[in-house]
Amino acid sequence: MTQNIETFIGCDSSYDEAELVLFGAPFDSTTSFRPGARFGPSAIRHESFGIETYSPYQDDDLTDYKVFDSGDIELCFGSAESALADISARTAEILSDGKLPLLIGGEHLVTLGIFREVQKKHPDVHIIHFDAHCDLRDDYLGAKLSHACVIRRCHDIIGDGRIHQFCIRSGEREEFRFAEKHTDMHKFTLDGLAETIAEIGDKPIYFTIDLDCLDPAYFCGTGTPEAGGISFPQMLEAIQTVCSGNIVGADINELAPMLDTSGASTAIACKTLRELILAILKNKR
Amino acid sequence: MTQNIETFIGCDSSYDEAELVLFGAPFDSTTSFRPGARFGPSAIRHESFGIETYSPYQDDDLTDYKVFDSGDIELCFGSAESALADISARTAEILSDGKLPLLIGGEHLVTLGIFREVQKKHPDVHIIHFDAHCDLRDDYLGAKLSHACVIRRCHDIIGDGRIHQFCIRSGEREEFRFAEKHTDMHKFTLDGLAETIAEIGDKPIYFTIDLDCLDPAYFCGTGTPEAGGISFPQMLEAIQTVCSGNIVGADINELAPMLDTSGASTAIACKTLRELILAILKNKR
Amino acid sequence: MTQNIETFIGCDSSYDEAELVLFGAPFDSTTSFRPGARFGPSAIRHESFGIETYSPYQDDDLTDYKVFDSGDIELCFGSAESALADISARTAEILSDGKLPLLIGGEHLVTLGIFREVQKKHPDVHIIHFDAHCDLRDDYLGAKLSHACVIRRCHDIIGDGRIHQFCIRSGEREEFRFAEKHTDMHKFTLDGLAETIAEIGDKPIYFTIDLDCLDPAYFCGTGTPEAGGISFPQMLEAIQTVCSGNIVGADINELAPMLDTSGASTAIACKTLRELILAILKNKR
Amino acid sequence: MTQNIETFIGCDSSYDEAELVLFGAPFDSTTSFRPGARFGPSAIRHESFGIETYSPYQDDDLTDYKVFDSGDIELCFGSAESALADISARTAEILSDGKLPLLIGGEHLVTLGIFREVQKKHPDVHIIHFDAHCDLRDDYLGAKLSHACVIRRCHDIIGDGRIHQFCIRSGEREEFRFAEKHTDMHKFTLDGLAETIAEIGDKPIYFTIDLDCLDPAYFCGTGTPEAGGISFPQMLEAIQTVCSGNIVGADINELAPMLDTSGASTAIACKTLRELILAILKNKR
Amino acid sequence: MTQNIETFIGCDSSYDEAELVLFGAPFDSTTSFRPGARFGPSAIRHESFGIETYSPYQDDDLTDYKVFDSGDIELCFGSAESALADISARTAEILSDGKLPLLIGGEHLVTLGIFREVQKKHPDVHIIHFDAHCDLRDDYLGAKLSHACVIRRCHDIIGDGRIHQFCIRSGEREEFRFAEKHTDMHKFTLDGLAETIAEIGDKPIYFTIDLDCLDPAYFCGTGTPEAGGISFPQMLEAIQTVCSGNIVGADINELAPMLDTSGASTAIACKTLRELILAILKNKR
Amino acid sequence: MTQNIETFIGCDSSYDEAELVLFGAPFDSTTSFRPGARFGPSAIRHESFGIETYSPYQDDDLTDYKVFDSGDIELCFGSAESALADISARTAEILSDGKLPLLIGGEHLVTLGIFREVQKKHPDVHIIHFDAHCDLRDDYLGAKLSHACVIRRCHDIIGDGRIHQFCIRSGEREEFRFAEKHTDMHKFTLDGLAETIAEIGDKPIYFTIDLDCLDPAYFCGTGTPEAGGISFPQMLEAIQTVCSGNIVGADINELAPMLDTSGASTAIACKTLRELILAILKNKR
């Protein structure tokens, strides 16, 4: 008789065999509006049994790949630096074993924990960033480590010209001014994505999806829903486009299940994750 | 003073005069994920008083037609065969009185109960099937009578070439492989619908609408919401197209009101039913 | 130490300096289906702190303008005439001080309270009306003052040819017949809006937005969600178009926060209000 | 085949045979805080199928009595006087046919509509009033017809010494001062109920139950939940006590189903109504 | 790196070492009112991390015992007999390995699956049954295997005098009549429990807790909440009393997490289970 | 015309005149389970308009006292130390002006921010602590500043014999062992409260109420509901008892409005705060 094991559907490989490793960062302490993204990774895992392992979009099946789900890291609430250090440690382990790390947040700040390690291994990495928000504040009420500052902190590491932002439709005037000078920002839509990926070529790409890039019509279960945004079919196509590049790490974040009374947001998050895993691994073959 | 009578809005004809008979099948025992579709028919009836009897889309009014609402059948939970038998019996009565049966589910399995009788009367019937799911499994955890198998069971009855599926975007690989050989499946969209109806010509059509064919943005109040899917304007146009054919029976199913906290899913179900009734009856004149 | 003050975000001007005055009418006594619009104005104010004062759509910021938020009027529930009189009194005060009134409902009937005064000051005013419903009944179960009659009551005041209705998709047959003769109704969509505004030229415009003109996919938190309707990007563009005219008063109404479990409807209402204020004031400069 | 009929469970008598007539008043226009009591009667009727017709408390069954459920009156929202007139008309009809009227609210103001007629027929009637609130304001923001004034309006009719209030725990200081002089108020609890009923003897009693007399632990689905209050077993015993008197009319009110997400409040309302009907009719035999 | 394992808190023993084995039966196909008990076991497991392993009531800790959580059985929806067979098979395995089985439902019918095997091993077993409902119908709409019949089916096996029912407050008249002749029913309360356990002495006891025995004030997250019922402190004391006997199997059932919007019902279920495990195992030492 | 001001009902004094100052600490970053207590203070303020200023329990009215509500402090999420510093600063200002500070949380950690300053002014202060949880961990996953450690941190400041805990029913074994040696813990109930207050005599008392001391039946809207606990009438009596002592500061905390779908928990929090203010100020006269 086996103990109760719960993984994302179809991700039942052993760690040793795995090409890709899922892990969850149930952290939301710096969320400035509605919290609850901490419950995102377990909800995605739990509700994944409402979808299939097979994707009719890609005509491919999760059971054909080797994915390991290592569960959620136990993170300290109330200390962002400590939580980031734990995420970085797990990432380092995965990378050193030659596997691709895929993080499920939690609030967007968790990206910094995985990205620090990915960038150490791949110093020339570019970031593809899907989000409703700029996330470019230098600080938020004094805090440098805030979900509202996460891309700014990434910029501290890799500087100008390597951060490509899409679907952005909310922020302070100063953030948009900063973007004009320091990032490659595509406001409101995914326009220019294919060209961007073509230009990056085979350089390493870190892909971070804040699910609130989706229109709240499709995805209302998030702390700060922003009217406008992309549809699910657009997301599907964009994942194909980005994953035609050389993905070296990725995350999806900001599902807040307490706000998702119908379950539809969690379901779209599950399907986005399935399609993302399949697109990454298919392209690696 | 009259007893409390509650029908779908504008469906107040006597049974004898009625051209079309509504009836509800409050059954969801085989639902594999989130149950609650059993409450669909009473919610549709109850909330129909939030819409009007007049359709500006068709410039037509339910009060101009003769529709009888016979309420919900009392069904035995836990026995699919017994529930289907009761649905078939009610259908047979309606058909033998020369009226058109329109069933409100309940989970999708209820379609089998009405379809068996419709097919007896119209052996050359075609099925137009709107759904997010294939519903083509041969069994689900051993059960042949499951909502995940309902179209497969219909195929057992009418065989190849007469089942036309639209908007399908979820299923196991085997179901899609089965569809390639045995059904006329149109994945993801309604593409090809007009051509299909034209080819069917004046042969009888059974029209089954699993409301989860709609995008969850429009309809999240269902047990297994599947990202992707059609919009309400597309549904309106499709109903017009299908009902230009020779409809001999129909159903709508899979509204789960407990998951519809805002009421918007129930409202769209009500309007879909109003438009469906009007389109069927208008075309009969 | 200051008392707890809560205004719509960025609307912190003094009354004397203000160009535009926000005020709330928390009234929903005539709502015929699901009540709760009374909580709309306080929810919009409260949740506005989840959005920014800066609009990337207009590249403009609320903090650059002078807006005063005078809070909610304390209205008598159960007496529509009394509530309307109180709304009219507040409007008269704002108008006599040379400021532009912008009302937050409440149910749609509140429009009559503000419009009566606006029309006194601007007798040649036109109405631009965005709504899912005709609101053209002569009475509703005997009541002349009902949310279902509000545009009809406005028509009583200004007569034919000056009411321009958009996105309308629900009503009784008689209302649509009335519209054919007496109003300029554009069914279902915003088609013809630009032409209408061009024709009106520099004549005064009263702009009333029933938020249920939006598709329930975008805005389900309202008493009577009507499938079909416009998207948020369409709303943004339409606001720009209408506000290129000579706006002399406006309102947004029919947010029912109790039905908005995710907060996404309240968020879209906040953003609509931000864009409306910016568009009106920008054009006045 | 029969039309869809929905009555309170076990209340299927014909009108002519009936000893007691249920009717609903779906009105809540004067509700000052959270509205939604309008949906109370239909929810009670609909959810009654989750309870049994048999009471183990009284060892008695609804099917042994003759009760007719005439459904909800269609009431005009926004005009309290008009709604009360309609309630009075229905009451008058029931009384003139020699049957006992039992009203399901709606907000508490509806009591005035039925009580006016009951008092006409039984001028020496006493009121037993269970409530969390005094309901003794002379007006509420200027309105004389408000749920907060309903017992004051009854006092206008029958004067001092005949209104007996129990469980009261909320109101303005003036209401409590008024009660000291003009009503028989028992604060917080049911203390003194048996003595009161004994004193009234065989004089006619009108029994009005505002369900918010229950502690919100037992009954949270109401517009203005007030901490403190009685338990369900206390309610059961109190119903027995009151119904040992000569009941000539009764109502239960203030269930707001939209606030009852679990269904437990609606369930307790159903059971309270079942016990009330049984206790009244048993005692009449 | 380990796979994601999720057990009830503190139940991390290996199977071989375990004294007691938890297993879940996520089945609710025969639920006649609101379904969703299928999600009970996973919710209890998932939310158990909100409580502690230590009980201040018993001054004892789950980590001091050996408990194995084997997760949920994958059950076929729509076939009660098939589901029961699977539950029985798992039970038989646990019993044959000399361990004590503790089942988490699901609807109450699941009790029959475990009880059949327990009774085979302990033919002289008594049942202690906590419930709001009699569960003594011979059939429900024709179905012999229904949650409303489960104790009747147990009676078919063990006959008169060995079923002891407590807290019962709902059922048809016939069920109460049946109980008078065939079971030891204690209506409404736990009165007589200590005496009953004393009389049973060291004979084997099967303990089945339908959590709806609790008052809905404490536990509203269940399909059929019944006003009246016991409090949590009473439950705690009763568990101590029953577990002073010779427990040979047990279950708790009927948590429906979809109805538990606050999480308080799931939390009380978790704590009940913790106290039950501790009380059983402590007494075995 | 006045700006929109929102205070706790009846707390409209100027700061200079005020005897007592309310302030909110909307912080919940260290919450380990369900977050959302950050919305507690604004919900209490907003919903206070559903209760009255008059207390029939104390026959006293908030409008007879001078209370100032200074609103919520804007706190940095993600840094507990920074948030505590801001709370301490506001407290210091209130204390130096000779007024009594009353804090509305937020999670329980906020108590440390106010208590540090109160203890500076009153070094011999005792703490009366109502809670379901010990809050005596030395750290939580490495964090010393966590809601689970707040009373331990207070103990660091004032040492043994001056912390009096009531209603405690959850914690790790080590916390209960710590309490045996270092605090005056009264498990489960309020037993011994009157004696404790009598012993403290006229020494200063800091009174901290974690609202989860209430039974979840009365108060489910909190992050970690713990079965068991006190009732509202017990709370009322206990407030009277404690406030007969020399209160020098107080707080109530841990209302999480997102979990309070019915509003009943927020309502009980409002009433608790009203009674607390009245009891403190009445006793000072």
Side-chain angles (χ1 to χ4, degrees), chain C residues 38-93:
Chain C
R38 68 178 63 185
F39 298 119
S42 69
I44 286 173
R45 216 175 269 121
H46 197 65
E47 301 299 312
S48 68
F49 291 84
I51 65 166
E52 317 280 344
T53 55
Y54 173 73
S55 163
Y57 301 103
Q58 303 194 46
D59 189 16
D60 212 349
D61 200 303
L62 285 171
T63 58
D64 297 336
Y65 297 93
K66 300 291 183 192
V67 182
F68 179 82
D69 180 352
S70 76
D72 285 2
I73 312 176
E74 197 169 39
L75 297 172
C76 173
F77 288 108
S79 168
E81 191 47 80
S82 161
L84 291 178
D86 290 347
I87 295 167
S88 294
R90 175 76 60 99
T91 306
E93 188 180 354

Side-chain angles (χ1 to χ4, degrees), chain F residues 73 111 115 132 154-155 166 175 179 209 212 278:
Chain F
I73 312 177
T111 297
F115 182 69
C154 292
H155 180 267
F166 294 87
E175 294 178 82
I209 301 176
D212 67 19
L278 288 174

Side-chain angles (χ1 to χ4, degrees), chain B residues 157-233:
Chain B
I157 300 174
I158 58 170
D160 289 3
R162 290 206 281 159
I163 296 175
H164 312 274
Q165 302 184 281
F166 293 88
C167 316
I168 311 298
R169 55 195 185 273
S170 186
E172 297 195 316
R173 183 146 46 188
E174 291 65 30
E175 294 178 84
F176 285 94
R177 295 291 174 266
F178 181 89
E180 285 169 16
K181 294 188 189 155
H182 301 290
T183 77
D184 171 32
M185 182 184 282
H186 304 245
K187 283 192 288 192
F188 311 131
T189 69
L190 293 160
D191 287 358
L193 180 64
E195 295 79 353
T196 301
I197 299 300
E199 280 171 33
I200 294 174
D202 58 2
K203 275 178 281 184
I205 292 172
Y206 184 82
F207 188 12
T208 179
I209 300 176
D210 185 326
L211 288 161
D212 68 18
C213 66
L214 288 160
D215 194 292
Y218 297 89
F219 187 77
C220 65
T222 191
T224 317
E226 297 285 348
I230 63 172
S231 70
F232 179 68

